[in-house]
Structure formats: structure tokens, C-alpha cells
């Protein structure tokens, strides 16, 4: 009975717990290259490379320089697709897909 109430409450908009998703930067790549999240979720980029990187979506978000071993987070607020790249290494690309 309790589990049913809890499931019903979590199904209500705005009451489900937000999740945290990790994007690892390693080997001059974003892993995974495409991450699907829900509105309200947080994405954390962790730089495991030996050089600085950014996660930058023009006009949407910009981590600025993340030093090796550093990390940066962003909370998804609106649904849609955010394509991003590293401004230091423009061939490094990724996407965040935000769904409700």
C-alpha cells in the first residue's frame, strides 16, 4: 500500500527526484557523446584529461576552463537539444538532450 502511494507521488510533475548525470572528459572526448536527461537533472562534466577543456553551448552554458582533474555542473531547465564543444579543442563535441 505504501509503495503505491509513493509511486503515485513520484509520478506527479515536480515531485520526482532530480538525477545527476556524469560526462567524463578523457582521451580528448566527451563520454558519452550524447546524454539524455530530464528537466531539473544536473549534468557534471569531469575532466580526466591532462589538459584543460570547456563544455560550451553558445548562448546556453559555458563551463569556462576546467583544469585537469576539475569538474563543472549545469542543471537542465528547458527541454531541447544542447549541442556543445570544447572551445580549446573544437573537434570535441557532445550533446545534452533534455526531455520532460
Amino acid at each position: 500500500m505504501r509503495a503505491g502511494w509513493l509511486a503515485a507521488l513520484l509520478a506527479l510533475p515536480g515531485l520526482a527526484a532530480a538525477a545527476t548525470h556524469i560526462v567524463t572528459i578523457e582521451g580528448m572526448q566527451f563520454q558519452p557523446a550524447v546524454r539524455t536527461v530530464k528537466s531539473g537533472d544536473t549534468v557534471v562534466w569531469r575532466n580526466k584529461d591532462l589538459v584543460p577543456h570547456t563544455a560550451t553551448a553558445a548562448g546556453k552554458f559555458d563551463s569556462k576552463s576546467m583544469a585537469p582533474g576539475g569538474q563543472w555542473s549545469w542543471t537542465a531547465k528547458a527541454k531541447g537539444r544542447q549541442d556543445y564543444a570544447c572551445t580549446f579543442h573544437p573537434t570535441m563535441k557532445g550533446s545534452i538532450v533534455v526531455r520532460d
Side-chain angles (χ1 to χ4, degrees):
M1 181 84 168
R2 260 191 175 166
W5 276 96
L6 181 58
L9 284 173
L10 291 175
L12 293 173
L15 290 181
T20 298
H21 305 271
I22 305 298
V23 174
T24 301
I25 305 170
E26 192 167 28
M28 303 295 281
Q29 296 180 341
F30 295 107
Q31 292 293 330
V34 178
R35 172 67 80 182
T36 300
V37 304
K38 292 181 179 177
S39 182
D41 287 355
T42 298
V43 180
V44 177
W45 284 263
R46 291 185 177 157
N47 184 3
K48 293 187 173 184
D49 255 343
L50 300 175
V51 297
H53 292 290
T54 73
T56 305
K60 303 295 182 181
F61 60 77
D62 185 3
S63 67
K64 309 291 185 206
S65 181
M66 284 183 280
Q71 68 179 36
W72 179 76
S73 63
W74 170 78
T75 300
K77 295 181 180 155
K79 70 179 190 179
R81 183 182 180 105
Q82 309 296 330
D83 295 322
Y84 64 93
C86 172
T87 57
F88 302 141
H89 311 98
T91 59
M92 293 176 59
K93 296 180 180 183
S95 298
I96 302 295
V97 178
V98 182
R99 297 191 175 153
D100 284 333

